[in-house]
């Protein structure tokens, strides 16, 4: 079961910042997350980067019980 961490708008859309999902790949984790969190989360997810254990990950990246999958929406900011 991979630990899933959700940040910024992904956290808001899901209603919480962490979860545990039993899945074999990043694609599987995201499929479960879409089903679990609904349409608003699915919309946010389309703009997100996915990292596994602090590294950029593809949909086919394997995940296991000791892995952390982070869902990172784009951020902006800085001084104006």
């Amino acid at each position: 079961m991979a630990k899933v961490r959700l940040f910024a708008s992904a956290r808001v859309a899901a209603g919480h910042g962490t979860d545990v999902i039993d899945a074999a790949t990043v694609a599987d984790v995201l499929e479960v997350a879409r089903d679990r969190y609904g349409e608003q989360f699915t919309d946010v997810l389309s703009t997100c980067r996915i990292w596994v254990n602090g590294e950029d990950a593809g949909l086919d990246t394997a995940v296991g019980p000791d892995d952390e999958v982070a869902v990172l929406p784009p951020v902006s900011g800085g001084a104006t």
Side-chain angles (χ1 to χ4, degrees):
M1 297 186 107
K3 181 175 183 179
V4 179
R5 298 202 55 210
L6 307 165
F7 294 90
S9 56
R11 170 183 262 169
V12 172
H16 51 87
T18 61
D19 202 350
V20 177
I21 294 178
D22 188 16
T25 66
V26 167
D28 297 338
V29 167
L30 298 180
E31 182 178 339
V32 170
R34 283 185 199 96
D35 290 343
R36 199 173 280 183
Y37 308 137
E39 186 177 336
Q40 184 180 3
F41 178 80
T42 298
D43 291 344
V44 169
L45 189 59
S46 68
T47 64
C48 292
R49 301 288 301 211
I50 308 300
W51 286 20
V52 174
N53 301 325
E55 300 286 332
D56 195 25
L59 294 175
D60 60 345
T61 301
V63 295
D66 296 325
D67 291 324
E68 180 179 85
V69 178
V71 179
L72 303 160
V75 295
S76 64
T80 57

